[in-house]
Amino acid sequence: GYQSRLAVLFAMGGTQGLVGWWMVKSGLGEDRFGDRNEIRVSPYRLASHLGMAVGTYSLLVWTGLGALSFPVDRYAMAAKEKSAETLSMLQQYTKNLSPNALRHAQKVRGGVLTTVGLTGLTILSGAFVAGNDAGNAYNTYPLMNDQWIPLEDMVDPNKLPKWRNV
């Protein structure tokens, strides 16, 4: 059943509220106003709040898709109870595929996982860009001050030891 997954979703929803308050709390206080006299939250807490929201949403979508395929799962479980050797529908399908098709499916799966990982990384990096107002640092897209890598802003010649510039 879905009881354990729904309990996890309920806990994630409550935790999302706590993480949200923790994030907002980082912006409270007179020392957090910055140059423009506006409240600023911690970019790390903003990223954790956004990451938690993406995780909760992903689990909700996974649960919803699982609920939509529940009759198929039920049919497979009923068939499995009748015979101990009955395979699930997915296992039956993969047995009918050629080795070349299976290799192709593995490549597609690797590409999908890579895309999902890069999308998650992009979403989280967006929280840091928004939290630090990094979009306002350079307004000459795609170059930054007419350079691909603005070393004069990234490297502090007075910083000791030098390796801390990395």
Side-chain angles (χ1 to χ4, degrees):
Y2 290 102
Q3 291 85 3
S4 59
R5 199 179 303 176
L6 291 175
V8 169
L9 280 167
F10 184 76
M12 288 177 83
T15 305
Q16 179 70 0
L18 292 174
V19 170
W21 171 245
W22 178 62
M23 177 194 70
V24 168
K25 189 176 161 195
S26 72
L28 301 177
E30 294 300 320
D31 61 332
R32 294 293 299 159
F33 279 111
D35 301 350
R36 289 174 281 170
N37 213 14
E38 62 187 25
I39 294 176
R40 309 290 307 201
V41 298
S42 166
Y44 299 104
R45 294 181 184 191
L46 179 64
S48 64
H49 186 56
L50 181 62
M52 184 80 183
V54 169
T56 304
Y57 179 73
S58 300
L59 186 58
L60 276 169
V61 169
W62 183 34
T63 302
L65 291 174
L68 287 175
S69 68
F70 185 70
V72 175
D73 294 342
R74 199 174 189 182
Y75 169 77
M77 290 188 67
K80 195 171 194 175
E81 289 173 359
K82 290 179 184 175
S83 170
E85 295 182 19
T86 304
L87 300 173
S88 72
M89 294 176 88
L90 182 62
Q91 289 171 332
Q92 290 174 9
Y93 179 72
T94 56
K95 284 198 173 284
N96 295 330
L97 291 176
S98 68
N100 196 20
L102 282 174
R103 277 194 300 278
H104 181 69
Q106 287 175 335
K107 285 182 184 178
V108 169
R109 183 175 190 260
V112 167
L113 291 176
T114 302
T115 302
V116 166
L118 289 174
T119 302
L121 184 66
T122 303
I123 289 170
L124 288 179
S125 68
F128 288 108
V129 169
N132 289 319
D133 279 342
N136 294 329
Y138 299 103
N139 57 5
T140 55
Y141 181 81
L143 302 178
M144 297 170 275
N145 278 351
D146 297 324
Q147 301 173 8
W148 286 106
I149 301 172
L151 290 176
E152 71 275 355
D153 292 335
M154 295 173 64
V155 176
D156 183 6
N158 300 322
K159 185 169 278 206
L160 293 174
K162 294 284 188 194
W163 62 266
R164 292 196 64 197
N165 278 313
V166 177

